[in-house]
Amino acid sequence: MSTPKHPKGLYLIFATSTAERFSYYGMRAIFILFLTQALLFDKEHAASIYGSYTGLVYLTPLIGGYIADKYWGIRRSVFWGAMMMAVGQFLMFSSASMLEAKELSHWLMYGGLTFLILGNGCFKPTVASLVGQLYKPGDRRLDSAYTIFYMGVNVGSFLAPLVCGYFGETGDPNDFKWGFLIAGIVTVFTVILFETQKNKYLIGPDGEQLGIIPDSRKGQPQAAKTISQMDADKSNKLRNYIILGILTVALASFFYWCFGDDWISIGIFTACIVFPVSILLEGSLTKIERDRIFVIYIIAFFVIFFWAAYEQAGASLTLFASEQTDRVIFGWEMPASWIQSFNPFFVVILAAIMPGVWGFLNQRGLEPASPTKQAIGLLLLSLGYLVICFGVKDVQPGVKVSLIWLTGLYFIHTMGEIVLSPIGLSMVNKLTPIRFASLMMGIWYLSTATANKFAGTLTGLYPEAGKVKTLLGYRIETMFDFFMVFVIMSATASLILFLLSKKLQKMMHGVE
């Protein structure tokens, strides 16, 4: 029987995620500035690297989720993921320490990004899926649990830009290394915390130790198979491999035609279709399971537009804060990287409120279904960009706008995020068969990978003096033109998802 009190394991996951997200967002807070001010890349090239990095960070959870489900289990994946991320942060520190050796510095930076990407792939989907395993199926506390988990993520996200930005963004390019070093030290702390406390607190509702046995061994009993059944399984696997192979080649060719030899874009956009299809080809899925997985895929498609606009925080909005925002407060100029703390600060506040709001609405039969919540999140994102459009409209080049416009944007975006993101994680957990728990969480993050790469492409549209940029024939010459792209994109996605919400609720077959 469910009780209002949450399992203690939730708070270990909360603390572990806080430390790990400190590492990620500490590095991200100064990354675009490091690329443009220390490595001296132009904005378009820096935006491409940023988009590729953040896109791959959310692509590799698919691989990490598969490894965790099939072979390692969650605990081992968390350990090795955190270890690889620590190595990545120390390589970034080395890169920033050797700016005079230009070529070596670049190679160390790319090596650091590689370890950060692989480590995050092992860590991210497993920790998120572990939250759901603390509760029995149907437990009404799950949405609240994911909101609390999300608050932990954002405690780390709030502190990281302040600390890493303070030590890293000083105006001296040689100081970026201190931000990366601090992020690396905190990652090591994540490993120590998890390894020393996991046996005590990661306990399931039935008293079993969580995260040791790979999830694929839990989903269904392994019945003895006849020779004919084994032959049929082999035949189906061969058929699936052929279908997926043909689909991969066709999509890769199409995206090569679209993007040229940008192999990271080709890989991400191909994977975002091929891997979801591979789950649907799984012969063990029932009709209800298949319908529920379709719901996840449809909503994940719309979530791409949310994160593509939202993730401008680490790229174009940081450049906007650095170059065109008046950050002077009582004679002191706030570092541009600190503004990235606005969003997680608001998240921590709203995440403490929203479980009570959902509970209040639920008691009165007014709580929106998950698809509707996602549509509301997209609408709020559009409104946030509309606010800043008013702030930059008719502003002359070289004139800085008040910090209040960015603050308003981040507050409204945070309301959208807190409605969309933790509820999305909870929805994936509730709709996914247990044998695919971490893998489906990886596929959910695949939409974020696609969005982050798309976000890097959109950041490349950031207005620059002497350049006229276009998107589908739309000319982008001013910041107003640039921000209107996100207003229109988010509002359109929100409207379509609202119209689909009733149909999606039916396909969830009773899952709230």
Side-chain angles (χ1 to χ4, degrees):
M1 182 173 176
S2 298
T3 62
K5 191 174 181 180
H6 289 280
K8 291 181 180 179
L10 177 63
Y11 301 101
L12 172 60
I13 298 171
F14 177 103
T16 304
S17 298
T18 297
E20 184 274 331
R21 289 290 89 183
F22 181 101
S23 167
Y24 174 76
Y25 282 101
M27 178 271 190
R28 196 194 77 160
I30 58 177
F31 185 42
I32 195 79
L33 301 174
F34 173 65
L35 292 174
T36 55
Q37 297 175 13
L39 299 184
L40 304 180
F41 293 137
D42 63 53
K43 289 174 185 172
E44 196 161 343
H45 184 43
S48 178
I49 294 173
Y50 176 87
S52 295
Y53 164 64
T54 54
L56 290 171
V57 155
Y58 287 97
L59 174 64
T60 50
L62 187 66
I63 302 168
Y66 178 81
I67 292 171
D69 277 346
K70 288 285 187 180
Y71 306 109
W72 281 5
I74 289 176
R75 296 190 183 196
R76 192 183 302 177
S77 293
V78 169
F79 172 78
W80 286 110
M83 289 295 290
M84 284 189 281
M85 286 188 287
V87 171
Q89 296 288 11
F90 292 130
L91 285 173
M92 293 296 296
F93 167 73
S94 300
S95 171
S97 301
M98 301 181 182
L99 296 177
E100 66 285 353
K102 187 176 179 181
E103 187 172 350
L104 177 60
S105 179
H106 287 187
W107 279 111
L108 287 169
M109 184 266 290
Y110 288 124
L113 296 182
T114 299
F115 274 96
L116 288 169
I117 289 164
L118 294 174
N120 188 84
C122 291
F123 189 100
K124 195 169 185 67
T126 49
V127 169
S129 65
L130 193 58
V131 173
Q133 296 184 27
L134 293 167
Y135 300 83
K136 291 183 177 180
D139 195 317
R140 300 291 299 185
R141 296 173 296 171
L142 195 57
D143 277 2
S144 296
Y146 270 105
T147 303
I148 293 169
F149 164 73
Y150 207 70
M151 183 165 64
V153 166
N154 282 277
V155 169
S157 307
F158 166 68
L159 295 173
L162 300 180
V163 178
C164 297
Y166 178 80
F167 289 101
E169 189 198 348
T170 64
D172 182 352
N174 292 298
D175 285 341
F176 282 113
K177 62 187 177 187
W178 303 121
F180 298 133
L181 179 62
I182 292 167
I185 292 170
V186 172
T187 309
V188 173
F189 172 75
T190 303
V191 177
I192 296 171
L193 175 67
F194 186 82
E195 288 299 306
T196 56
Q197 302 299 315
K198 63 185 181 183
N199 291 334
K200 184 176 181 181
Y201 294 113
L202 294 183
I203 309 296
D206 297 324
E208 78 280 12
Q209 290 278 331
L210 295 178
I212 298 174
I213 301 172
D215 288 334
S216 62
R217 301 177 192 171
K218 304 176 187 176
Q220 52 191 11
Q222 299 295 315
K225 294 184 178 181
T226 65
I227 293 175
S228 61
Q229 287 174 325
M230 288 190 288
D231 288 341
D233 285 346
K234 288 180 182 178
S235 177
N236 288 335
K237 283 183 179 180
L238 180 60
R239 180 207 63 185
N240 292 348
Y241 288 146
I242 292 172
I243 292 171
L244 294 173
I246 294 171
L247 182 62
T248 300
V249 171
L251 289 170
S253 301
F254 172 73
F255 290 127
Y256 180 81
W257 177 73
C258 293
F259 303 110
D261 60 355
D262 183 355
W263 293 106
I264 293 178
S265 293
I266 293 169
I268 290 174
F269 294 136
T270 299
C272 81
I273 298 174
V274 171
F275 281 102
V277 169
S278 72
I279 294 291
L280 293 176
L281 293 175
E282 170 62 47
S284 66
L285 289 175
T286 66
K287 182 184 183 304
I288 290 177
E289 288 175 338
R290 199 177 298 274
D291 282 352
R292 289 172 175 171
I293 286 173
F294 264 120
V295 172
I296 295 173
Y297 290 173
I298 293 167
I299 293 179
F301 172 76
F302 288 97
V303 165
I304 289 172
F305 298 100
F306 180 91
W307 291 117
Y310 179 91
E311 284 297 331
Q312 296 302 312
S316 66
L317 290 176
T318 296
L319 294 172
F320 180 75
S322 178
E323 299 171 356
Q324 295 184 252
T325 301
D326 182 3
R327 294 172 280 112
V328 177
I329 303 172
F330 300 117
W332 168 75
E333 186 173 41
M334 177 189 297
S337 57
W338 279 30
I339 294 176
Q340 291 188 45
S341 285
F342 287 11
N343 163 253
F345 172 74
F346 293 139
V347 167
V348 171
I349 294 172
L350 291 173
I353 297 171
M354 287 309 295
V357 172
W358 297 137
F360 176 84
L361 292 173
N362 181 263
Q363 290 173 3
R364 289 156 181 78
L366 299 174
E367 183 178 3
S370 293
T372 306
K373 290 176 181 176
Q374 311 294 302
I376 293 170
L378 276 160
L379 179 61
L380 289 167
L381 185 81
S382 180
L383 291 175
Y385 275 108
L386 188 61
V387 164
I388 205 166
C389 280
F390 286 116
V392 300
K393 186 173 174 56
D394 299 325
V395 171
Q396 297 301 312
V399 176
K400 294 189 174 184
V401 302
S402 170
L403 184 59
I404 194 68
W405 296 108
L406 265 181
T407 305
L409 173 142
Y410 277 118
F411 181 73
I412 297 172
H413 280 191
T414 302
M415 290 194 292
E417 179 188 4
I418 208 68
V419 170
L420 179 141
S421 190
I423 303 306
L425 293 172
S426 175
M427 178 196 70
V428 173
N429 186 275
K430 289 185 285 189
L431 293 176
T432 300
I434 185 63
R435 61 191 182 279
F436 298 128
S438 294
L439 181 58
M440 279 303 300
M441 196 63 74
I443 287 179
W444 176 254
Y445 284 127
L446 188 57
S447 67
T448 313
T450 307
N452 273 272
K453 184 56 186 171
F454 185 32
T457 301
L458 293 174
T459 300
L461 300 173
Y462 189 89
E464 296 184 70
K467 293 184 179 180
V468 177
K469 302 179 180 181
T470 61
L471 177 67
L472 301 176
Y474 174 69
R475 291 170 61 89
I476 300 171
E477 301 182 55
T478 66
M479 292 308 303
F480 177 83
D481 299 333
F482 178 69
F483 289 133
M484 278 302 297
V485 170
F486 301 103
V487 173
I488 296 168
M489 180 180 73
S490 305
T492 303
S494 174
L495 176 61
I496 296 171
L497 188 53
F498 266 122
L499 296 175
L500 290 174
S501 291
K502 291 293 184 184
K503 174 64 176 176
L504 294 175
Q505 283 176 250
K506 291 180 180 178
M507 293 173 65
M508 291 166 71
H509 295 282
V511 173
E512 297 294 333

